[in-house]
Amino acid sequence: MKIAPSILSANFANLLEDIKKVEKGADLLHIDVMDGHFVPNITIGPVVVKSLRKFSSLPFDVHLMIENPDLYIEDFANSGADNITVHQEACLHLHRTIQKIKGYGIKAGVSLNPATPLETIKYVLQDVDMVLIMTVNPGFGGQKFIDTMFKKIEDLRLLRENLGLKFEIEVDGGINLSNVAELVKAGADIIVAGSAIFESQNPMETIERFKEAVRK
Ligand code: DX5
Ligand code: ZN
């Protein structure tokens, strides 16, 4: 299992300081980009990603919750993103968008909102490096995990097996120490956690506890 702390719950006035707190335990740094249209919240853009790039060696996992992602893929790729994930719901020509991301030599992911069926991405699964299953409705940190998503993750894992594919399954939203083990059992390879990590007393120790919970 890989851990990807989401900086959405970090202190934006001291972002780098918070990133340093997780740098040694995290496998990826999850960066939530929101435009106020696709989701009702606004966060950060490529300039922030570019500034952070100089100070962190973690792979940057950029989650685009924006309309017209095609317009911004180049900017995020050039800012230092290692993975770019777009939402199926925001892409009219999803296959083309995925190829565009891969054209920059980085990993491409596709994300699904809780209500969006797996069938909608069936014919691009062979083209992606990861699938991000949203386990809350995107837009905010600190929301409650949607229980029916366990089944969706399991279904995706079985679909991957049946198709003989190797993409990673990432899960995002409402994840904490009490549900992480069950999520990994269902099929999650990458765990995104924002509030559970950055709002804890000791983020590094919390990451260790996540890993321990999965080992048990
Ligand atoms: C939600 C974002 C998440 C968010 C998760 O739209 O995509 O990455 O930071 O936050 P928690 O872990 O607090 O639910
Ligand atoms: Zn996210």
Side-chain angles (χ1 to χ4, degrees), residues 82-204:
D82 296 277
N83 311 339
I84 293 182
T85 297
V86 292
H87 268 262
Q88 182 276 338
E89 303 86 357
C91 296
L92 201 50
H93 304 289
L94 182 58
H95 180 272
R96 179 185 288 154
T97 303
I98 291 164
Q99 304 311 321
K100 185 168 180 159
I101 297 170
K102 298 210 300 194
Y104 290 97
I106 58 177
K107 289 187 180 176
V110 62
S111 182
L112 295 179
N113 284 337
T116 307
L118 292 176
E119 280 66 30
T120 59
I121 54 168
K122 188 173 171 190
Y123 298 103
V124 293
L125 285 176
Q126 67 199 55
D127 299 296
V128 297
D129 299 291
M130 51 202 265
V131 175
L132 171 51
I133 299 292
M134 287 308 301
T135 44
V136 298
N137 291 294
F140 304 95
Q143 300 184 83
K144 192 182 173 301
F145 182 89
I146 299 170
D147 278 326
T148 45
M149 294 301 104
F150 281 122
K151 174 82 166 75
K152 192 175 187 180
I153 296 158
E154 222 171 275
D155 287 350
L156 179 61
R157 175 172 54 80
L158 294 174
L159 187 59
R160 177 175 66 183
E161 213 173 288
N162 288 339
L163 296 172
L165 295 172
K166 289 200 160 62
F167 59 83
E168 290 184 288
I169 299 175
E170 182 173 31
V171 292
D172 183 8
I175 300 170
N176 53 45
L177 286 166
S178 54
N179 58 17
V180 64
E182 202 174 339
L183 280 162
V184 170
K185 216 171 126 200
D189 305 300
I190 305 171
I191 299 287
V192 177
S195 51
I197 291 177
F198 285 109
E199 286 172 20
S200 69
Q201 288 289 348
N202 185 335
M204 189 57 214

Side-chain angles (χ1 to χ4, degrees), residues 7-44:
I7 59 169
L8 185 61
S9 292
N11 177 359
F12 275 43
N14 269 313
L15 202 45
L16 191 56
E17 212 172 279
D18 270 8
I19 292 170
K20 289 295 160 198
K21 287 183 191 164
V22 298
E23 182 99 20
K24 284 207 172 71
D27 299 286
L28 302 159
L29 193 71
H30 188 80
I31 302 176
D32 287 308
V33 176
M34 306 185 186
D35 66 350
H37 293 274
F38 182 70
V39 289
N41 195 3
I42 300 177
T43 55
I44 63 182

